[in-house]
Amino acid sequence: MKIVSYSIRDDEMPALKEWQAQHPDVEVQIEHELLTPESAAKAQGADGVVVYQQLPYDRATLQALHDAGINKMSLRNVGTDNIDMAAAKELGFQITNVSVYSPNAIAEHAAWLMGRLLRREPEYTAKINRHDLRWAPEIGREMRMQTVGVIGTGHIGRVLIDILKGFGAKIVCYDVFKNPELEKEGVYVDNLADLYQQADIVTVHVPSLKENIHMINDDSIAQMKDGVIIINVARGDLVDTDALIRGLDSGKVRAAGLDVYEKEVGVFNEDWEGKAFPDQRLENLLNRKNVIITPHTAFYTETAVKNMVQISHNCNVQLIKGEKADNLVKLD
């Protein structure tokens, strides 16, 4: 059995070596470059591929894999929105993802963003860097005094709620699919308008489905409390960037913490020092002292990376063996 693993990073190698030692019957061909129509040829003669989402898996890429004899692909990530599903189905692909790798990693990151913004850490950092060690006027706020609106109460949202409870924050939630335990606690509101009206902090933890794209927009921001903080560690296209900038300009939005950005592909995970920055809207946000941008690093912990590598390779073996694979992605 042979698997070709694309875009393997140095930080993934310890987990992959551990997995290889546990599966001596599987040959793993390591490729450091991304899966593209050109690099797909390197999978010739293999049984399956393991990949990581950074470029679109469009028809050309899937066709190239198919031409190399591959129709079993396992993602080391959750998101599947960059896959041409119609082409994948037509070409007979079986695809898996890693639906849960570490909810704690992402939930903790959301909590850190909230805490840093509440205590106005970016503003203090700017002052300290110029040796201004006075505390006023950047007075902070306490988490226990905040009402946090959590949109989406799946794995990540549920962990975040537990973290915030530890700080003493009041929680209000909205989800189409309610968690029975949370429902007993009475934290759900009937609609998003109710959540927006109550929350000092709004944090989104829902997938990038058609109905969720730009759910944070001019209309939703207008319904929020004055001085709201917006957090997005889920998917970039959940937030209309132009609407967020307008909200920050008007002061309606006090601050924002973003680990994702709707046009991040090709910009995040690149070194732009000394180069012309390619995105004016993102640069606008980066230059604000009340905005924290992290380049899609909420997932990036040792625990999460290990799970992503090992679960994806386990799934690929299941596909190759013709077994019922964990985390099988529906192509409809």
Side-chain angles (χ1 to χ4, degrees), residues 153 175-180 183 188-190:
T153 55
D175 201 319
V176 175
F177 305 101
K178 295 181 179 179
N179 178 293
E183 198 164 16
Y188 282 109
V189 293
D190 294 329

Side-chain angles (χ1 to χ4, degrees), residues 83-284:
I83 300 173
D84 185 331
M85 291 298 186
K89 186 175 182 179
E90 178 184 322
L91 294 169
F93 270 82
Q94 291 179 292
I95 300 175
T96 62
N97 66 351
V98 182
S99 57
V100 180
Y101 43 82
S102 180
N104 293 70
I106 296 160
E108 287 177 9
H109 196 82
W112 302 149
L113 289 173
M114 293 178 196
R116 291 173 67 192
L117 291 169
L118 286 172
R119 299 309 295 262
R120 303 177 70 170
E121 181 268 336
E123 296 166 82
Y124 274 110
T125 297
K127 288 177 66 172
I128 291 166
N129 285 342
R130 60 178 187 266
H131 293 178
D132 182 350
L133 303 184
R134 296 171 294 176
W135 59 76
E138 291 84 8
I139 192 167
R141 293 188 289 168
E142 297 177 28
M143 185 74 81
R144 68 188 179 94
M145 305 302 291
Q146 309 307 305
T147 297
V148 181
V150 180
I151 303 173
T153 55
H155 296 289
I156 296 166
R158 190 70 183 84
V159 172
L160 178 60
I161 288 166
D162 288 340
I163 292 171
L164 296 173
K165 285 180 179 177
F167 282 104
K170 178 183 176 182
I171 308 297
V172 293
C173 306
Y174 178 82
D175 201 319
V176 175
F177 305 101
K178 295 181 179 179
N179 178 293
E181 293 180 8
L182 291 176
E183 198 164 16
K184 290 178 183 176
E185 296 178 20
V187 295
Y188 282 109
V189 293
D190 294 329
N191 53 66
L192 284 171
D194 288 343
L195 182 144
Y196 294 146
Q197 290 165 14
Q198 296 183 47
D200 301 296
I201 302 171
V202 173
T203 180
V204 289
H205 302 277
V206 297
S208 177
L209 302 176
K210 182 178 180 181
E211 57 268 29
N212 293 336
I213 292 175
H214 283 188
M215 67 184 304
I216 304 299
N217 53 44
D218 287 308
D219 290 339
S220 56
I221 290 172
Q223 297 175 60
M224 296 178 191
K225 295 175 70 172
D226 291 344
V228 67
I229 293 175
I230 294 174
I231 304 292
N232 184 13
V233 298
R235 286 287 180 265
D237 59 12
L238 301 178
V239 174
D240 180 337
T241 304
D242 292 322
L244 177 62
I245 289 172
R246 285 190 286 269
L248 289 162
D249 285 342
S250 70
K252 178 73 174 184
V253 179
R254 178 190 296 261
L258 308 174
D259 184 59
V260 288
Y261 173 65
E262 59 181 327
K263 300 294 184 181
E264 69 182 55
V265 175
V267 180
F268 280 9
N269 203 28
E270 297 287 344
D271 183 0
W272 295 101
E273 186 175 6
K275 304 175 186 176
F277 197 71
D279 191 310
Q280 292 183 347
R281 293 189 305 168
L282 181 57
E283 188 160 35
N284 179 309

